[in-house]
Amino acid sequence: MKCQRAIAQSIASLDKTMNRVSVRTHQRKEFVDITRSVADCAERSGIKHGLCVIFVPHTTCGLTINENADPAVVSDILHTLEKIVPEHGNYRHTEGNSDAHIQSSMTGHSLVIILENGHLQLGTWQGIFLCEFDGPRTREVWIHCIKGG
Amino acid sequence: MKCQRAIAQSIASLDKTMNRVSVRTHQRKEFVDITRSVADCAERSGIKHGLCVIFVPHTTCGLTINENADPAVVSDILHTLEKIVPEHGNYRHTEGNSDAHIQSSMTGHSLVIILENGHLQLGTWQGIFLCEFDGPRTREVWIHCIKGG
Amino acid sequence: MKCQRAIAQSIASLDKTMNRVSVRTHQRKEFVDITRSVADCAERSGIKHGLCVIFVPHTTCGLTINENADPAVVSDILHTLEKIVPEHGNYRHTEGNSDAHIQSSMTGHSLVIILENGHLQLGTWQGIFLCEFDGPRTREVWIHCIKGG
């Protein structure tokens, strides 16, 4: 397992309300830092105050927020999730990726972040990660911003 | 443990903003597929673009998104959560359902899904599940859709 | 480990859309009941129907909903998270708090709660907790309410 934290690159606007970001993963298990892509979408929405919702339409990957300064942090998270939910176990699902399905339900498929003065409100050390549990694949991240008030 | 995936049936509109869906569970631990009920509420809201929030007002059940094609997937998730958090342990809470409280905090109590063109935006293999950890009971699921823009 | 459930006290309105609640923690690991502070912010927003989003801008604490009647419940959740993710393990991150980073990704950093008739919609037994995994510290909780319709 390697922790790749490449920035997702291709952003294709689907329509004026929902953006789809394509994220290429390179390992079976890795966390990809998508903070910049999400922040770009949020800023281009033109919304000053509101919410930014991030959603992955998959069942073997997830989303999380954690430290993106020291890459050892997400490496520790991944290793621990692999220890708690081993790849090979007494699973009924025959596709060999039950661990990935379970890990995706443990991290979750959506995040909600506050938008203030046109910017995503994150803590100093926080980054947004796509959690790949059954790669390598091309994943999608859906981003939708909504105006408050 | 059996994985029952009955569709929740009774939808009673509380008022124009929040819907309550009643879900009957039949085992101590089971995942119930509530995708159709949530999609129905979302479509009947008449909202084209926005968010759909799903919330369970309980402390011994949760919500998750995962594959609803092969029932072995949610069975594997449940079995693994039971292994990680055993029913009988060195717990202080004397009601005998500490495992259920812990599992509910691990899956979470709310989900946020994007609404686009009047439809819930889910991935091809994604379904929405109520995670019963201390049934059988009659549970409630609260659904609230909000307009974007 | 002790389970302190003090009510967060100091609420300083940042501006008209996002509130910051300061929460002082007193143990390395503890759950702090912040239900009253969140409800106060929600009610003072003047919003009748909508959503209340709660977010922690940290990477070693989280948020959860669970029972706030018997303090043994959150004590059991904390103890179990400590068993699943031990403080001392084969971690790469050298700050000695990898367990806290992992536990924060397991509980999550945001919650979404429905607002109805000007009140936070929670179940009878539900409380909102800040999950401190690497205290004692002064933490922030960000609260943003958004109008539905």
Side-chain angles (χ1 to χ4, degrees):
Chain A
M1 189 199 71
K2 263 202 213 168
C3 288
Q4 186 135 347
R5 310 195 307 148
I7 304 300
Q9 289 158 331
S10 63
I11 300 180
S13 182
L14 177 68
D15 64 23
K16 69 181 195 301
T17 54
M18 185 170 94
N19 285 281
R20 297 182 187 223
V21 176
S22 178
V23 180
R24 180 74 207 159
T25 64
H26 299 276
Q27 312 289 333
R28 177 154 198 265
K29 307 261 184 206
E30 64 175 318
F31 278 28
V32 182
D33 187 335
I34 59 170
T35 315
R36 197 170 308 173
S37 298
V38 177
D40 281 354
C41 285
E43 282 158 31
R44 284 190 291 147
S45 76
I47 292 172
K48 287 281 170 220
H49 301 281
L51 302 177
C52 176
V53 171
I54 311 153
F55 186 89
V56 282
H58 307 286
T59 57
T60 54
C61 77
L63 289 169
T64 200
I65 287 172
N66 222 297
E67 181 181 323
N68 63 358
D70 176 6
V73 170
V74 293
S75 157
D76 285 340
I77 299 173
L78 257 177
H79 267 110
T80 303
L81 287 176
E82 285 180 298
K83 242 187 247 177
I84 296 171
V85 184
E87 184 179 348
H88 304 288
N90 187 22
Y91 301 122
R92 283 182 50 207
H93 183 52
T94 55
E95 289 181 22
N97 61 355
S98 287
D99 60 328
H101 285 289
I102 298 159
Q103 288 157 350
S104 83
S105 274
M106 289 176 73
T107 49
H109 299 81
S110 64
L111 296 173
V112 181
I113 300 171
I114 299 168
L115 276 173
E116 194 84 348
N117 299 316
H119 298 288
L120 219 51
Q121 298 301 298
L122 289 171
T124 312
W125 304 104
Q126 288 184 325
I128 306 165
F129 293 91
L130 177 131
C131 312
E132 176 61 85
F133 296 122
D134 193 34
R137 301 199 196 195
T138 299
R139 300 294 198 173
E140 274 197 7
V141 179
W142 296 347
I143 299 161
H144 180 76
C145 296
I146 190 169
K147 205 165 75 180
Chain B
M1 190 199 71
K2 264 203 211 166
C3 288
Q4 185 135 348
R5 308 195 308 148
I7 304 300
Q9 288 159 332
S10 63
I11 300 179
S13 183
L14 177 68
D15 64 24
K16 68 182 197 303
T17 55
M18 185 170 94
N19 285 281
R20 297 183 186 221
V21 176
S22 178
V23 180
R24 181 73 207 159
T25 64
H26 299 276
Q27 311 289 333
R28 180 156 194 264
K29 308 260 183 206
E30 63 174 319
F31 278 28
V32 181
D33 187 335
I34 58 170
T35 314
R36 197 170 308 172
S37 298
V38 178
D40 280 354
C41 285
E43 282 159 30
R44 283 189 294 147
S45 76
I47 292 172
K48 289 279 170 222
H49 301 280
L51 301 178
C52 177
V53 170
I54 311 152
F55 186 89
V56 282
H58 307 287
T59 57
T60 54
C61 77
L63 288 169
T64 200
I65 288 172
N66 222 298
E67 181 181 323
N68 63 358
D70 177 6
V73 170
V74 293
S75 158
D76 285 341
I77 298 173
L78 257 178
H79 267 110
T80 302
L81 287 175
E82 285 180 298
K83 244 188 245 176
I84 296 171
V85 184
E87 184 178 350
H88 304 289
N90 188 21
Y91 301 122
R92 283 183 50 206
H93 184 53
T94 54
E95 290 182 21
N97 60 355
S98 287
D99 60 326
H101 285 288
I102 299 160
Q103 288 157 349
S104 82
S105 274
M106 289 176 73
T107 49
H109 299 81
S110 65
L111 294 174
V112 181
I113 299 172
I114 299 168
L115 275 174
E116 193 85 349
N117 299 315
H119 297 289
L120 219 52
Q121 298 300 299
L122 288 171
T124 312
W125 303 104
Q126 287 183 326
I128 305 165
F129 294 91
L130 177 131
C131 312
E132 175 61 84
F133 296 123
D134 192 34
R137 299 200 198 194
T138 299
R139 300 294 197 172
E140 274 198 6
V141 179
W142 295 348
I143 299 162
H144 181 76
C145 296
I146 191 170
K147 206 165 76 178
Chain C
M1 189 199 70
K2 264 202 211 165
C3 289
Q4 185 134 347
R5 310 195 308 148
I7 304 300
Q9 289 157 331
S10 63
I11 299 179
S13 184
L14 177 68
D15 64 25
K16 69 181 196 301
T17 55
M18 186 170 93
N19 284 282
R20 298 182 185 221
V21 176
S22 178
V23 181
R24 180 73 207 159
T25 64
H26 300 276
Q27 311 289 334
R28 178 154 197 264
K29 308 260 183 205
E30 64 174 318
F31 278 29
V32 182
D33 188 335
I34 59 169
T35 315
R36 199 171 307 172
S37 298
V38 177
D40 281 354
C41 285
E43 280 158 32
R44 284 189 293 146
S45 76
I47 291 173
K48 287 280 170 221
H49 301 280
L51 302 178
C52 176
V53 171
I54 311 151
F55 186 88
V56 282
H58 308 287
T59 57
T60 55
C61 77
L63 289 170
T64 201
I65 287 172
N66 222 298
E67 182 180 323
N68 63 358
D70 177 6
V73 170
V74 293
S75 158
D76 285 340
I77 299 173
L78 257 177
H79 267 110
T80 303
L81 287 175
E82 285 180 298
K83 243 187 245 175
I84 296 171
V85 184
E87 184 179 349
H88 304 288
N90 188 21
Y91 301 122
R92 283 182 49 207
H93 184 53
T94 56
E95 290 182 21
N97 61 355
S98 287
D99 61 326
H101 285 288
I102 299 160
Q103 288 157 349
S104 83
S105 274
M106 288 175 73
T107 49
H109 299 81
S110 64
L111 295 174
V112 181
I113 299 172
I114 299 168
L115 276 175
E116 193 84 348
N117 299 314
H119 297 290
L120 220 51
Q121 298 301 298
L122 288 171
T124 312
W125 304 103
Q126 288 184 326
I128 306 165
F129 293 91
L130 177 130
C131 313
E132 176 61 85
F133 297 122
D134 192 36
R137 301 199 196 195
T138 298
R139 300 295 199 171
E140 274 198 6
V141 179
W142 295 347
I143 299 162
H144 180 76
C145 296
I146 190 169
K147 205 165 75 179

